Structures are given as structure tokens and as C-alpha cells.
Amino acid sequence: AGFVYIFLGLYYATGRGTDIRLAQYLFAGLYLLNLLLVFRIYSRTNKAPPYVFFFMCCASYRIHSIFVLRLFNDPVAMAILFLAINLFLEERWSWGCLLFSLAVSVKMNILLFAPGLLFLLLQRFGLLGCIPKLCICALLQVVLGLPFLLVNPVGYLTRSFDLSRQFQFKWTVNWRFLPEEVFQNRAFHAMLLLAHLAGLGLFALHRWHRPKESILALLKDPAKRKPASPPLTVNNILWQSGAQIVFVLFSSNFLGVCCSRSLHYQFYVWYFHTLPYLLWCTPTTKLAHMPKVLLLGVIELCWNTYPSTVCSSLSLHVCHGLILLQLWYGTAPLLALHTPLPHRKPTAVSKKAQ
């Protein structure tokens, strides 16, 4: 429903869709706003080197095409999502959940961030405390979809959140190396779903969660949990700053992208702006910078190969696999820092976080 409202506004703003140049100007403004929101996230986490921002805003023909030439709804949803993440970093969780739900109403791919968000809400508020936040997300979906739900609820729900959709083989970017009958096979789709769920479970248990603490502790009120004093590790650094929020959300989305039944060309915007963070959120030596830049370049080349080929789709999976391996081993609890974090006095939780 959010997609319908936003693009209906664009339809009337552009003289019933006749002024395409104005629509492109509006999307160019959206592109700049999206970059501003992304840069603000990166500045808060302080992970990626400054030169990476050049590649993010200047080196991707495909991203420019998705925003300004094709006018897809994917960048609209992602811009709202990045605004929600900025609110999470500011401890404005209720407003962030509202914007997150608005992004879902524009494009269903935002649900790939949902497992990470659920984990963060449980970690931050406990089971009872996160229920009001989830109600905010659900209520907005009902309010936005109410005109359609009153007329044809089954049709609206099945078409808006169509999990059984069959993708066309000619548009796939990531599975071109498979025979088309395998690509369309339901068993293959089920296998991808199981791989996605397994990946989320492993990351939640071993990379998102604090070591030496039961995962069931997330269900408790944070005030009643035992204070943890784990050794200083890379995981703890992520935990002690806004970088942990970004790491959980971005890795949750990336796992979903890796296990997607099909990636079409406009789907590149789903994770393009998160790639530098995923590559540089782990400790990086000077010699490791060039391979990471090379990975970005190969991924860009894969997404700019049309139509996709066996080589381009396989290369994309290899790049995704290398990033996953880095996220898994680069954030392993055994990796300890040699320099301690500066001591900070504990601060009281602000009212806006409630």
C-alpha cells in the first residue's frame, strides 16, 4: 500500500506521468538523500576508510540507473529503511520501527532486515518490552492497507506479500549457471529457505549474541539479566557501540540476499550501500584493503553484465561466499584486541529510547 500511495503522488506531481524529467529530478534528490543517510550511518560506526565513499557514490552505473533512469520502488524503500536505521542509532526505537514498517509497505525485501531487528529489540527490551514495538510495525501495515483490506483482503495480502511468486529465469543475476528446470523447482526453493534459516540461526547464536550468555536471556527484562563481563573481543566492540546495530541489520539482510531465489538487476540496491560496511567491519590490515576493493569491483562487474552469464553468476556467488567467510571468521570470539577500549562511565537510558 505504501508503494501505491508514494507512486500515486509521483503520478500526479508529474502531470499524470507525462513529465518524466521531473520524475528523474525527484529521484535524483532521493538518491542524494539516500547517500546522506548512508554516510551518516558510516560516520557513526567509523568502520570503512574514506576512499570507499568514492566508489559508493561515483563508481556504480547500475545504481544510478536504478534510481534515475528506471525509477524503481526499491530505492524508495531502501531510503526509508536507512532513515529508520539512523533513528535506531539515535535510540529512537519506536519511530524507527514506524519507519521500518513504512519501508516494508513499499517493498517486501525490507523483511530481510526483520530477523536482525527482532534480535535487536529482544536484546534491547526483552520479550515483553519489544511487543509494543512489534505492534507499531503491525498497526501501520493495517492502517496503510485498510482501503484495500476492506474491499479485497485476500487479494491484497496474497499479492502484496506473495511468497510463492515464480521468477523468470531470463532476469536472474545469481542463478544463471543452473538449468532452468532446477531454478524453477520447488525443492530448490525449499533448500534455499532452509539455508537462509540456518544462516540466521548460526549468526544469531555465535556472532550477534554476546559470548558466554544463553540466547534465552534475550527473553528476560534487560534489568534482570546477569551482567556479563566477557573478555575484550571483536564481538564486544560491536556490542558496545552503534556498530553492533548496523552489523546485525546489515548481516541479516546480506544472508537473505545470498539465499534469494532470484536476484534481478534492480535488487542490487538492496545491499549495495551495505557492502563496504560488511567488508570493513572486521579488522583489516593494510595489505587486505586491495582485495576488498577488488571484491567490490567484481560484484559491480557481475551486476553490470547483461544478460547474466554462467561466469558472472558464479563469480557473484564466490564474492558473496568470501564476504560470508570474512564475517564469520573476522568476528569470531577468539579474535582479541591488543589495545583496550577507553573506559567510559555508564550512562542512564534516555527517555527517547523507551
Side-chain angles (χ1 to χ4, degrees):
F3 160 73
V4 173
Y5 299 140
I6 291 173
F7 275 75
L8 185 64
L10 287 171
Y11 174 73
Y12 286 112
T14 56
R16 296 180 179 270
T18 58
D19 192 348
I20 303 301
R21 180 59 60 86
L22 175 58
Q24 290 181 302
Y25 285 146
L26 292 173
F27 268 79
L30 177 68
Y31 174 67
L32 295 176
L33 175 61
N34 186 79
L35 283 178
L36 177 64
L37 295 170
V38 170
F39 287 177
R40 191 173 185 276
I41 292 171
Y42 277 81
S43 69
R44 289 291 301 271
T45 57
N46 195 27
K47 291 291 181 182
Y51 66 82
V52 172
F53 297 108
F54 167 80
F55 294 97
M56 197 183 298
C57 61
C58 300
S60 179
Y61 163 80
R62 180 63 64 188
I63 292 299
H64 296 162
S65 173
I66 292 170
F67 271 90
V68 182
L69 296 181
R70 307 300 177 180
L71 312 183
F72 284 112
N73 63 336
D74 303 76
V76 178
M78 291 305 299
I80 299 173
L81 182 276
F82 287 130
L83 178 57
I85 294 177
N86 273 276
L87 290 170
F88 295 146
L89 291 173
E90 295 292 335
E91 291 291 325
R92 298 181 180 272
W93 291 91
S94 295
W95 284 106
C97 288
L98 185 72
L99 268 294
F100 181 87
S101 184
L102 179 61
V104 172
S105 75
V106 177
K107 188 81 173 184
M108 194 176 68
N109 73 283
I110 304 299
L111 290 175
L112 296 179
F113 292 88
L117 177 58
L118 177 61
F119 179 91
L120 290 171
L121 290 175
L122 288 171
Q123 176 259 320
R124 185 67 180 77
F125 301 102
L127 179 60
L128 294 179
C130 82
I131 290 177
K133 314 300 179 186
L134 298 178
C135 289
I136 291 174
C137 297
L139 182 61
L140 183 66
Q141 294 298 319
V142 174
V143 171
L144 292 176
L146 194 59
F148 308 98
L149 291 170
L150 292 175
V151 176
N152 185 4
V154 175
Y156 175 73
L157 292 174
T158 54
R159 299 302 296 166
S160 294
F161 303 95
D162 187 3
L163 299 177
S164 61
R165 176 186 174 188
Q166 286 282 12
F167 292 100
Q168 294 184 9
F169 184 66
K170 68 177 182 178
W171 293 114
T172 185
V173 177
N174 57 334
W175 297 115
R176 176 67 63 178
F177 62 91
L178 293 176
E180 185 171 359
E181 57 270 19
V182 175
F183 173 79
Q184 299 288 1
N185 193 286
R186 293 288 184 182
F188 175 64
H189 299 165
M191 182 188 71
L192 290 175
L193 177 60
L194 290 175
H196 185 196
L197 295 176
L200 289 172
L202 288 171
F203 266 75
L205 288 170
H206 301 290
R207 292 300 176 267
W208 299 348
H209 197 51
R210 281 191 276 195
K212 298 184 180 180
E213 184 179 280
S214 171
I215 192 71
L216 296 178
L218 292 175
L219 303 179
K220 299 179 182 179
D221 188 316
K224 297 180 180 179
R225 295 173 191 164
K226 293 180 180 179
S229 56
L232 193 61
T233 66
V234 174
N235 273 7
N236 297 336
I237 294 175
L238 292 172
W239 188 267
Q240 293 173 8
S241 67
Q244 191 257 352
I245 294 175
V246 181
F247 175 75
V248 171
L249 291 173
F250 283 8
S251 58
S252 172
N253 177 65
F254 184 68
L255 287 166
V257 170
C258 291
C259 299
S260 290
R261 286 183 293 152
S262 182
L263 293 175
H264 295 180
Y265 286 95
Q266 69 270 28
F267 297 175
Y268 190 22
V269 78
W270 290 6
Y271 75 133
F272 170 80
H273 295 99
T274 72
L275 286 173
Y277 183 87
L278 294 172
L279 284 167
W280 272 275
C281 68
T282 57
T284 304
T285 63
K286 291 183 179 180
L287 293 177
H289 283 269
M290 188 55 66
K292 293 185 178 184
V293 174
L294 181 61
L295 268 179
L296 288 177
V298 174
I299 291 174
E300 179 69 23
L301 182 62
C302 294
W303 282 96
N304 280 284
T305 302
Y306 176 79
S308 62
T309 63
V310 171
C311 182
S312 67
S313 59
L314 277 173
S315 298
L316 185 63
H317 279 290
V318 170
C319 292
H320 287 173
L322 290 174
I323 296 175
L324 277 177
L325 287 174
Q326 177 197 264
L327 291 176
W328 183 258
Y329 290 105
T331 57
L334 296 178
L335 292 176
L337 264 172
H338 297 291
T339 55
L341 288 174
H343 176 70
R344 292 184 180 180
K345 295 180 179 180
T347 56
V349 177
S350 60
K351 291 183 179 180
K352 64 183 179 182
Q354 303 301 324

